Coordinates of all heavy atoms in Angstrom, one line a residue:
M1054 N 0.9 -1.2 0.0 CA 0.0 0.0 0.0 C 0.9 1.2 0.0 O 1.9 1.3 0.7 CB -0.9 0.0 1.2 CG -1.9 1.1 1.3 SD -2.9 1.2 2.8 CE -3.7 -0.4 2.8
K1055 N 0.5 2.2 -0.7 CA 1.3 3.5 -0.8 C 1.2 4.2 0.5 O 0.1 4.5 1.0 CB 0.8 4.3 -1.9 CG 0.8 3.6 -3.3 CD 0.2 4.4 -4.4 CE 0.2 3.7 -5.6 NZ -0.6 4.3 -6.7
N1056 N 2.3 4.6 1.1 CA 2.4 5.2 2.4 C 1.6 6.5 2.5 O 1.0 6.8 3.5 CB 3.9 5.5 2.8 CG 4.6 4.2 3.2 OD1 3.9 3.2 3.6 ND2 5.9 4.2 3.1
E1057 N 1.6 7.3 1.4 CA 0.9 8.6 1.5 C -0.6 8.4 1.6 O -1.3 9.1 2.3 CB 1.2 9.5 0.3 CG 0.6 8.9 -1.0 CD 1.6 8.8 -2.1 OE1 2.8 8.6 -1.9 OE2 1.2 9.0 -3.3
F1058 N -1.1 7.3 1.0 CA -2.6 7.0 1.1 C -2.9 6.4 2.4 O -4.0 6.7 3.0 CB -3.0 6.1 0.0 CG -2.8 6.6 -1.4 CD1 -2.4 5.8 -2.4 CD2 -3.0 8.0 -1.7 CE1 -2.2 6.3 -3.7 CE2 -2.8 8.5 -2.9 CZ -2.4 7.7 -4.0
V1059 N -2.0 5.6 3.0 CA -2.2 5.0 4.3 C -2.4 6.1 5.4 O -3.4 6.1 6.1 CB -1.1 4.1 4.7 CG1 -1.2 3.6 6.1 CG2 -1.0 2.9 3.8
E1060 N -1.5 7.1 5.4 CA -1.6 8.1 6.4 C -2.9 9.0 6.2 O -3.5 9.3 7.2 CB -0.4 9.0 6.2 CG 0.9 8.3 6.7 CD 2.2 9.1 6.4 OE1 2.0 10.3 6.0 OE2 3.3 8.6 6.5
V1061 N -3.2 9.3 5.0 CA -4.4 10.1 4.7 C -5.7 9.4 5.1 O -6.5 9.9 5.8 CB -4.5 10.6 3.2 CG1 -5.8 11.2 2.9 CG2 -3.3 11.5 2.9
I1062 N -5.8 8.1 4.7 CA -6.9 7.3 5.0 C -7.1 7.1 6.5 O -8.1 7.3 7.1 CB -6.9 5.9 4.3 CG1 -7.0 6.2 2.8 CG2 -8.0 5.0 4.8 CD1 -6.7 4.9 1.9
Q1063 N -6.0 6.8 7.2 CA -6.0 6.6 8.6 C -6.4 7.9 9.3 O -7.2 7.9 10.3 CB -4.6 6.2 9.1 CG -4.5 5.9 10.6 CD -5.3 4.6 10.9 OE1 -5.2 3.6 10.2 NE2 -5.9 4.6 12.0
Y1064 N -5.9 9.0 8.9 CA -6.3 10.3 9.5 C -7.7 10.6 9.4 O -8.4 11.0 10.3 CB -5.5 11.4 8.9 CG -5.8 12.8 9.3 CD1 -5.3 13.3 10.5 CD2 -6.7 13.6 8.6 CE1 -5.7 14.6 11.0 CE2 -7.0 14.9 9.1 CZ -6.5 15.4 10.2 OH -6.9 16.6 10.7
H1065 N -8.3 10.3 8.2 CA -9.7 10.6 8.0 C -10.6 9.6 8.8 O -11.7 9.9 9.2 CB -10.0 10.5 6.5 CG -9.6 11.7 5.8 ND1 -8.3 12.0 5.4 CD2 -10.3 12.8 5.3 CE1 -8.2 13.1 4.8 NE2 -9.4 13.7 4.7
M1066 N -10.1 8.4 8.9 CA -10.9 7.4 9.7 C -10.9 7.8 11.2 O -11.9 7.8 11.9 CB -10.3 6.0 9.6 CG -10.7 5.2 8.4 SD -9.9 3.6 8.3 CE -10.4 2.9 9.9
E1067 N -9.7 8.2 11.7 CA -9.6 8.5 13.2 C -10.5 9.8 13.5 O -11.0 9.9 14.6 CB -8.2 8.8 13.5 CG -7.4 7.5 13.6 CD -5.9 7.8 13.8 OE1 -5.5 9.0 13.8 OE2 -5.1 6.8 13.8
N1068 N -10.5 10.7 12.5 CA -11.2 12.0 12.8 C -12.7 12.0 12.2 O -13.3 13.1 12.2 CB -10.4 13.2 12.2 CG -9.1 13.3 13.0 OD1 -9.1 13.7 14.1 ND2 -8.0 13.0 12.3
R1069 N -13.1 10.9 11.7 CA -14.4 10.7 11.1 C -14.7 11.8 10.1 O -15.7 12.5 10.2 CB -15.5 10.7 12.2 CG -15.3 9.5 13.1 CD -16.3 9.5 14.2 NE -16.0 8.3 15.0 CZ -16.5 8.1 16.2 NH1 -17.4 8.9 16.7 NH2 -16.2 7.0 16.9
M1070 N -13.8 11.9 9.1 CA -13.9 13.0 8.1 C -14.3 12.4 6.8 O -13.9 11.2 6.5 CB -12.6 13.7 8.0 CG -12.2 14.5 9.2 SD -10.5 15.2 9.1 CE -10.7 16.2 7.7
L1071 N -14.9 13.2 5.9 CA -15.1 12.8 4.5 C -13.8 12.7 3.8 O -12.9 13.4 4.1 CB -15.9 13.9 3.8 CG -17.5 13.8 3.9 CD1 -18.0 14.9 3.1 CD2 -18.0 12.5 3.3
I1072 N -13.7 11.8 2.9 CA -12.5 11.6 2.1 C -12.9 11.5 0.6 O -14.0 11.0 0.3 CB -11.7 10.4 2.5 CG1 -10.3 10.5 1.9 CG2 -12.4 9.1 2.2 CD1 -9.3 9.5 2.5
N1073 N -12.1 12.0 -0.3 CA -12.3 11.9 -1.7 C -11.3 10.9 -2.2 O -10.1 11.0 -1.9 CB -12.1 13.2 -2.4 CG -13.2 14.2 -2.0 OD1 -14.3 14.0 -2.2 ND2 -12.7 15.3 -1.4
I1074 N -11.7 9.9 -3.0 CA -10.8 8.9 -3.5 C -10.9 9.0 -5.0 O -12.0 8.9 -5.6 CB -11.2 7.5 -3.1 CG1 -11.2 7.4 -1.5 CG2 -10.4 6.4 -3.7 CD1 -9.8 7.4 -0.9
D1075 N -9.8 9.2 -5.6 CA -9.6 9.2 -7.1 C -9.0 7.8 -7.4 O -8.1 7.4 -6.8 CB -8.7 10.3 -7.6 CG -9.4 11.7 -7.5 OD1 -10.6 11.8 -7.2 OD2 -8.6 12.7 -7.5
R1076 N -9.6 7.2 -8.5 CA -9.1 5.9 -8.9 C -9.1 5.7 -10.4 O -9.8 6.4 -11.1 CB -9.9 4.8 -8.2 CG -11.3 4.8 -8.6 CD -12.1 3.9 -7.7 NE -13.5 4.0 -8.1 CZ -14.3 3.0 -8.1 NH1 -13.9 1.8 -7.8 NH2 -15.6 3.1 -8.5
E1077 N -8.3 4.7 -10.8 CA -8.3 4.4 -12.2 C -8.7 2.9 -12.4 O -8.0 2.0 -12.1 CB -6.9 4.5 -12.8 CG -6.3 5.9 -12.9 CD -4.9 5.8 -13.4 OE1 -4.4 4.7 -13.7 OE2 -4.3 6.9 -13.6
C1078 N -10.0 2.8 -12.7 CA -10.4 1.4 -13.0 C -11.6 1.3 -13.9 O -11.5 0.8 -15.0 CB -10.7 0.6 -11.7 SG -12.0 1.3 -10.7
I1079 N -12.7 1.9 -13.6 CA -13.9 1.9 -14.4 C -14.1 3.3 -15.0 O -14.3 4.2 -14.2 CB -15.1 1.4 -13.6 CG1 -14.9 0.1 -13.0 CG2 -16.4 1.4 -14.5 CD1 -15.9 -0.3 -11.9
P1080 N -14.2 3.5 -16.3 CA -14.4 4.8 -16.8 C -15.8 5.4 -16.3 O -16.8 4.7 -16.3 CB -14.5 4.5 -18.3 CG -13.7 3.2 -18.5 CD -14.0 2.4 -17.3
G1081 N -15.7 6.6 -16.0 CA -17.0 7.3 -15.5 C -17.2 7.2 -14.0 O -18.0 7.9 -13.5
T1082 N -16.4 6.4 -13.3 CA -16.5 6.3 -11.8 C -15.2 6.5 -11.2 O -14.7 5.7 -10.4 CB -17.2 5.0 -11.4 OG1 -16.3 3.9 -11.9 CG2 -18.6 4.8 -11.9
T1083 N -14.5 7.5 -11.6 CA -13.1 7.7 -11.2 C -13.0 8.3 -9.8 O -12.0 8.2 -9.1 CB -12.3 8.5 -12.2 OG1 -13.0 9.8 -12.3 CG2 -12.2 7.8 -13.5
S1084 N -14.0 9.0 -9.3 CA -13.9 9.7 -8.0 C -15.1 9.3 -7.1 O -16.2 9.3 -7.6 CB -13.9 11.2 -8.2 OG -13.8 11.9 -7.0
L1085 N -14.8 9.0 -5.8 CA -15.8 8.7 -4.9 C -15.6 9.6 -3.6 O -14.5 9.9 -3.3 CB -15.7 7.2 -4.4 CG -15.9 6.2 -5.5 CD1 -15.5 4.8 -5.0 CD2 -17.4 6.1 -5.9
T1086 N -16.7 9.9 -3.0 CA -16.7 10.7 -1.7 C -17.4 9.9 -0.7 O -18.5 9.3 -0.9 CB -17.3 12.0 -1.9 OG1 -16.6 12.7 -2.9 CG2 -17.3 12.8 -0.6
G1087 N -16.9 9.8 0.5 CA -17.5 9.1 1.6 C -16.7 9.1 2.9 O -15.7 9.8 3.0
F1088 N -17.1 8.3 3.8 CA -16.4 8.1 5.1 C -15.7 6.8 5.1 O -16.4 5.7 4.9 CB -17.4 8.2 6.3 CG -18.0 9.5 6.5 CD1 -19.3 9.8 5.9 CD2 -17.4 10.5 7.2 CE1 -19.8 11.1 6.1 CE2 -17.9 11.7 7.4 CZ -19.2 12.0 6.8
P1089 N -14.4 6.8 5.3 CA -13.7 5.5 5.3 C -14.1 4.7 6.6 O -14.2 5.3 7.7 CB -12.2 5.9 5.3 CG -12.2 7.3 5.9 CD -13.5 7.9 5.5
I1090 N -14.3 3.4 6.4 CA -14.7 2.6 7.5 C -13.5 1.7 8.0 O -13.3 1.6 9.2 CB -15.9 1.7 7.1 CG1 -17.0 2.5 6.5 CG2 -16.3 0.8 8.3 CD1 -17.7 3.4 7.5
A1091 N -12.9 1.0 7.1 CA -11.8 0.1 7.4 C -10.9 -0.1 6.2 O -11.4 0.2 5.0 CB -12.3 -1.2 7.9
F1092 N -9.6 -0.5 6.4 CA -8.8 -0.8 5.2 C -7.8 -1.8 5.6 O -7.4 -2.0 6.8 CB -8.1 0.5 4.6 CG -7.1 1.1 5.5 CD1 -5.8 0.8 5.4 CD2 -7.5 2.1 6.5 CE1 -4.8 1.4 6.2 CE2 -6.6 2.7 7.3 CZ -5.2 2.4 7.1
T1093 N -7.3 -2.5 4.6 CA -6.2 -3.5 4.7 C -5.2 -3.1 3.7 O -5.3 -2.1 3.1 CB -6.7 -4.9 4.5 OG1 -7.1 -5.0 3.1 CG2 -7.9 -5.3 5.4
E1094 N -4.2 -4.0 3.5 CA -3.2 -3.7 2.5 C -3.8 -3.8 1.1 O -3.2 -3.2 0.2 CB -2.0 -4.7 2.6 CG -1.2 -4.4 3.9 CD 0.0 -5.3 3.9 OE1 0.4 -5.9 2.9 OE2 0.6 -5.4 5.0
E1095 N -4.9 -4.4 0.9 CA -5.5 -4.6 -0.4 C -6.8 -3.9 -0.7 O -7.1 -3.6 -1.8 CB -5.7 -6.1 -0.7 CG -4.4 -6.9 -0.7 CD -4.6 -8.4 -1.0 OE1 -5.6 -8.7 -1.6 OE2 -3.8 -9.2 -0.6
W1096 N -7.6 -3.6 0.4 CA -8.9 -3.1 0.2 C -9.2 -1.9 1.1 O -8.7 -1.8 2.2 CB -10.0 -4.2 0.5 CG -9.9 -5.3 -0.5 CD1 -9.3 -6.5 -0.3 CD2 -10.5 -5.4 -1.8 NE1 -9.4 -7.3 -1.4 CE2 -10.2 -6.6 -2.3 CE3 -11.2 -4.5 -2.5 CZ2 -10.6 -7.1 -3.5 CZ3 -11.7 -4.9 -3.8 CH2 -11.3 -6.2 -4.3
L1097 N -10.1 -1.0 0.6 CA -10.6 0.1 1.5 C -12.1 -0.1 1.4 O -12.7 -0.2 0.4 CB -10.2 1.4 0.9 CG -11.0 2.7 1.4 CD1 -10.7 2.8 2.9 CD2 -10.6 3.9 0.6
L1098 N -12.7 -0.1 2.6 CA -14.2 -0.1 2.8 C -14.6 1.3 3.2 O -14.1 1.8 4.2 CB -14.6 -1.1 3.8 CG -16.1 -1.1 4.2 CD1 -17.0 -1.5 3.0 CD2 -16.4 -2.0 5.4
M1099 N -15.5 1.9 2.4 CA -16.0 3.2 2.8 C -17.5 3.4 2.3 O -18.0 2.6 1.5 CB -15.2 4.3 2.1 CG -15.2 4.3 0.6 SD -14.1 5.6 -0.1 CE -15.1 7.0 0.0
T1100 N -18.1 4.4 2.9 CA -19.5 4.7 2.5 C -19.3 5.5 1.2 O -18.3 6.1 0.9 CB -20.2 5.6 3.5 OG1 -19.5 6.8 3.7 CG2 -20.4 4.9 4.8
N1101 N -20.4 5.5 0.4 CA -20.4 6.3 -0.9 C -21.5 7.3 -0.7 O -22.6 6.9 -0.7 CB -20.6 5.3 -2.1 CG -20.5 6.1 -3.4 OD1 -19.8 7.1 -3.5 ND2 -21.2 5.6 -4.4
I1102 N -21.1 8.6 -0.7 CA -22.1 9.6 -0.6 C -22.1 10.4 -1.9 O -21.1 10.8 -2.4 CB -21.7 10.6 0.6 CG1 -21.8 9.8 1.9 CG2 -22.7 11.8 0.6 CD1 -21.4 10.5 3.1
Y1103 N -23.3 10.5 -2.4 CA -23.5 11.2 -3.7 C -24.7 12.1 -3.5 O -25.8 11.7 -3.2 CB -23.7 10.2 -4.8 CG -23.9 10.9 -6.2 CD1 -22.8 11.5 -6.8 CD2 -25.2 11.0 -6.7 CE1 -23.0 12.1 -8.0 CE2 -25.3 11.6 -8.0 CZ -24.3 12.2 -8.6 OH -24.4 12.8 -9.8
D1104 N -24.5 13.4 -3.8 CA -25.6 14.4 -3.8 C -26.3 14.4 -2.4 O -27.6 14.3 -2.4 CB -26.5 14.2 -4.9 CG -27.3 15.4 -5.3 OD1 -26.9 16.5 -4.9 OD2 -28.4 15.3 -5.9
F1105 N -25.6 14.4 -1.3 CA -26.1 14.4 0.0 C -26.9 13.1 0.4 O -27.6 13.1 1.4 CB -27.0 15.6 0.3 CG -26.4 16.9 0.1 CD1 -26.7 17.7 -1.0 CD2 -25.4 17.4 1.0 CE1 -26.0 18.9 -1.2 CE2 -24.8 18.6 0.8 CZ -25.1 19.4 -0.3
R1106 N -26.7 12.1 -0.3 CA -27.4 10.8 0.0 C -26.3 9.7 0.2 O -25.4 9.6 -0.6 CB -28.3 10.4 -1.2 CG -29.5 11.3 -1.3 CD -30.4 10.8 -2.4 NE -30.6 9.3 -2.4 CZ -31.1 8.6 -3.3 NH1 -31.5 9.2 -4.4 NH2 -31.2 7.3 -3.2
D1107 N -26.6 8.9 1.1 CA -25.7 7.7 1.4 C -26.1 6.6 0.4 O -27.3 6.1 0.4 CB -25.9 7.2 2.8 CG -24.9 6.1 3.2 OD1 -24.2 5.6 2.3 OD2 -24.9 5.7 4.4
E1108 N -25.2 6.3 -0.5 CA -25.5 5.3 -1.5 C -25.1 3.9 -1.2 O -25.1 3.0 -2.0 CB -24.8 5.7 -2.8 CG -25.3 7.0 -3.4 CD -26.7 6.9 -4.1 OE1 -26.9 5.9 -4.8 OE2 -27.5 7.8 -3.9
G1109 N -24.7 3.7 0.1 CA -24.2 2.4 0.6 C -22.7 2.3 0.7 O -22.0 3.3 0.8
Y1110 N -22.2 1.1 0.8 CA -20.8 0.8 1.0 C -20.1 0.5 -0.3 O -20.8 -0.1 -1.2 CB -20.6 -0.3 2.0 CG -21.1 0.0 3.4 CD1 -22.3 -0.5 3.8 CD2 -20.3 0.8 4.2 CE1 -22.8 -0.2 5.1 CE2 -20.8 1.1 5.5 CZ -22.0 0.6 5.9 OH -22.5 0.9 7.2
V1111 N -18.8 0.8 -0.4 CA -18.0 0.4 -1.6 C -16.7 -0.2 -1.1 O -16.2 0.2 -0.1 CB -17.7 1.6 -2.5 CG1 -19.0 2.0 -3.2 CG2 -17.1 2.7 -1.8
L1112 N -16.3 -1.2 -1.8 CA -14.9 -1.8 -1.6 C -14.0 -1.3 -2.8 O -14.4 -1.5 -3.9 CB -15.0 -3.3 -1.6 CG -15.3 -4.0 -0.3 CD1 -15.4 -5.5 -0.5 CD2 -14.2 -3.7 0.7
I1113 N -12.9 -0.7 -2.4 CA -12.0 -0.2 -3.4 C -10.7 -0.9 -3.3 O -10.1 -1.0 -2.2 CB -11.8 1.3 -3.3 CG1 -13.2 2.0 -3.3 CG2 -10.9 1.8 -4.3 CD1 -13.1 3.4 -2.8
R1114 N -10.2 -1.4 -4.4 CA -8.8 -2.0 -4.3 C -7.8 -0.8 -4.1 O -7.8 0.2 -4.8 CB -8.5 -2.7 -5.6 CG -9.3 -4.0 -5.8 CD -8.8 -4.8 -6.9 NE -8.5 -4.0 -8.1 CZ -8.0 -4.5 -9.2 NH1 -7.8 -5.7 -9.4 NH2 -7.7 -3.7 -10.2
I1115 N -6.9 -1.0 -3.2 CA -5.9 0.0 -2.9 C -5.0 0.3 -4.1 O -4.7 1.4 -4.4 CB -5.0 -0.4 -1.7 CG1 -5.9 -0.5 -0.4 CG2 -3.9 0.5 -1.5 CD1 -6.5 0.8 0.1
C1116 N -4.8 -0.7 -4.9 CA -3.9 -0.5 -6.1 C -4.5 0.3 -7.1 O -3.8 0.9 -8.0 CB -3.5 -1.9 -6.7 SG -4.8 -2.9 -7.3
D1117 N -5.9 0.5 -7.1 CA -6.6 1.4 -8.0 C -6.6 2.9 -7.6 O -6.9 3.7 -8.4 CB -8.0 0.9 -8.2 CG -8.1 -0.4 -9.0 OD1 -7.2 -0.7 -9.7 OD2 -9.1 -1.1 -8.8
I1118 N -6.3 3.1 -6.4 CA -6.3 4.5 -5.8 C -5.2 5.4 -6.4 O -4.0 5.0 -6.3 CB -6.3 4.5 -4.3 CG1 -7.5 3.8 -3.7 CG2 -6.2 6.0 -3.8 CD1 -7.6 3.7 -2.2
T1119 N -5.5 6.5 -7.0 CA -4.5 7.4 -7.5 C -4.3 8.6 -6.6 O -3.3 9.3 -6.7 CB -4.8 7.9 -8.9 OG1 -6.1 8.5 -8.9 CG2 -4.8 6.7 -9.9
D1120 N -5.4 8.9 -5.8 CA -5.3 10.1 -4.9 C -6.3 9.9 -3.8 O -7.4 9.4 -4.0 CB -5.5 11.4 -5.6 CG -4.9 12.6 -4.8 OD1 -4.3 12.4 -3.8 OD2 -5.0 13.7 -5.3
A1121 N -6.0 10.3 -2.5 CA -6.9 10.3 -1.4 C -6.7 11.7 -0.7 O -5.6 12.0 -0.3 CB -6.5 9.2 -0.4
Y1122 N -7.8 12.4 -0.6 CA -7.6 13.8 -0.1 C -9.0 14.3 0.4 O -10.0 13.7 0.2 CB -7.1 14.7 -1.2 CG -8.1 14.8 -2.4 CD1 -9.0 15.8 -2.5 CD2 -8.0 13.8 -3.4 CE1 -9.9 15.8 -3.6 CE2 -8.8 13.8 -4.5 CZ -9.8 14.8 -4.6 OH -10.6 14.9 -5.6
S1123 N -9.0 15.4 1.1 CA -10.2 16.2 1.4 C -9.9 17.7 1.2 O -8.7 18.1 1.2 CB -10.6 16.0 2.8 OG -9.6 16.4 3.7
K1124 N -10.9 18.4 0.9 CA -10.8 19.8 0.6 C -11.4 20.6 1.8 O -12.2 20.1 2.5 CB -11.5 20.2 -0.7 CG -10.9 19.5 -1.9 CD -11.7 19.9 -3.1 CE -13.0 19.1 -3.1 NZ -13.8 19.1 -4.3
E1125 N -10.9 21.8 2.0 CA -11.5 22.6 3.1 C -12.9 22.8 2.9 O -13.7 22.8 3.9 CB -10.7 24.0 3.2 CG -11.1 24.8 4.4 CD -10.3 26.0 4.5 OE1 -9.1 26.0 4.1 OE2 -10.9 27.0 5.0
S1126 N -13.4 22.9 1.7 CA -14.8 23.1 1.4 C -15.7 21.9 1.7 O -16.9 22.0 1.8 CB -15.0 23.5 -0.1 OG -14.6 22.5 -0.9
D1127 N -15.0 20.8 1.9 CA -15.8 19.6 2.3 C -16.3 19.6 3.7 O -17.2 18.8 4.1 CB -14.9 18.3 2.1 CG -14.7 17.9 0.7 OD1 -15.5 18.3 -0.2 OD2 -13.7 17.3 0.4
S1128 N -15.8 20.5 4.6 CA -16.2 20.5 6.0 C -17.7 20.8 6.1 O -18.4 20.2 7.0 CB -15.4 21.4 6.8 OG -15.5 22.7 6.3
F1129 N -18.2 21.7 5.3 CA -19.7 22.0 5.4 C -20.5 20.8 4.9 O -21.4 20.4 5.5 CB -20.0 23.2 4.6 CG -21.4 23.6 4.6 CD1 -22.0 24.0 5.7 CD2 -22.2 23.4 3.4 CE1 -23.4 24.3 5.8 CE2 -23.6 23.7 3.5 CZ -24.2 24.2 4.6
Y1130 N -20.0 20.2 3.8 CA -20.7 19.0 3.2 C -20.6 17.9 4.2 O -21.6 17.1 4.3 CB -20.0 18.7 1.9 CG -20.6 17.5 1.1 CD1 -21.9 17.6 0.6 CD2 -19.9 16.4 0.8 CE1 -22.5 16.6 -0.1 CE2 -20.4 15.4 0.0 CZ -21.7 15.5 -0.4 OH -22.3 14.5 -1.1
E1131 N -19.5 17.7 4.9 CA -19.4 16.7 5.9 C -20.4 16.9 7.0 O -21.0 15.9 7.4 CB -17.9 16.8 6.5 CG -17.6 15.8 7.5 CD -16.1 16.0 7.9 OE1 -15.2 15.5 7.2 OE2 -15.9 16.7 8.9
M1132 N -20.6 18.1 7.5 CA -21.6 18.3 8.6 C -23.0 18.0 8.1 O -23.8 17.4 8.9 CB -21.5 19.8 9.0 CG -20.3 20.1 9.9 SD -20.3 21.8 10.6 CE -20.5 22.8 9.2
I1133 N -23.3 18.3 6.9 CA -24.6 17.9 6.4 C -24.8 16.4 6.3 O -25.9 15.9 6.7 CB -24.8 18.5 5.0 CG1 -24.9 20.1 5.0 CG2 -26.1 18.0 4.3 CD1 -24.9 20.8 3.7
C1134 N -23.8 15.7 5.9 CA -23.9 14.3 5.7 C -24.0 13.5 7.1 O -24.6 12.5 7.2 CB -22.7 13.7 4.9 SG -22.7 14.3 3.2
I1135 N -23.3 14.1 8.1 CA -23.3 13.5 9.4 C -24.7 13.6 10.0 O -25.3 12.7 10.5 CB -22.3 14.1 10.3 CG1 -20.9 13.7 9.8 CG2 -22.5 13.7 11.8 CD1 -19.7 14.4 10.6

C-alpha cells in the first residue's frame, strides 16, 4: 500500500472525516466521496455519498487509488452528511 494514502486514510478514519478517492479502474466512476470505515493492504471499505445521499458501501482496491484527499470546502458538506 502506498504510504501517502495510508496516512491520509488513517487520519480521515480517526477523525471521522469525509474523504475523496480518485481511482483508475472503471471509466466514468473515477472519483468517490464518503467516510472510510476500514482498510487493509489490499482493500478500502467506505461509504459512498452522492448528492447528500448515502448510496451504501463500496470496496475499493488499494492498487486502483490514484489520490486520497479532502478539501477545506468539504467540511460543510461533511456536517450535512453526518
Side-chain angles (χ1 to χ4, degrees):
M1054 186 185 301
K1055 301 174 185 173
N1056 285 337
E1057 68 230 36
F1058 299 144
V1059 172
E1060 293 172 6
V1061 172
I1062 293 168
Q1063 185 69 39
Y1064 176 81
H1065 284 77
M1066 278 180 54
E1067 289 172 357
N1068 294 292
R1069 298 180 180 168
M1070 296 173 60
L1071 272 178
I1072 192 169
N1073 298 298
I1074 300 291
D1075 292 343
R1076 61 189 180 144
E1077 290 181 0
C1078 65
I1079 303 169
T1082 58
T1083 57
S1084 184
L1085 295 168
T1086 300
F1088 292 95
I1090 305 297
F1092 68 94
T1093 66
E1094 290 185 17
E1095 296 180 25
W1096 297 97
L1097 168 63
L1098 173 66
M1099 64 182 276
T1100 62
N1101 184 27
I1102 297 175
Y1103 180 75
D1104 200 23
F1105 301 107
R1106 291 183 43 194
D1107 186 355
E1108 296 286 318
Y1110 295 99
V1111 291
L1112 271 175
I1113 304 166
R1114 290 187 321 176
I1115 296 295
C1116 64
D1117 291 335
I1118 296 175
T1119 57
D1120 201 2
Y1122 60 94
S1123 62
K1124 300 177 280 190
E1125 188 175 328
S1126 61
D1127 287 337
S1128 61
F1129 179 70
Y1130 186 59
E1131 181 179 277
M1132 288 187 303
I1133 292 171
C1134 293
I1135 290 172

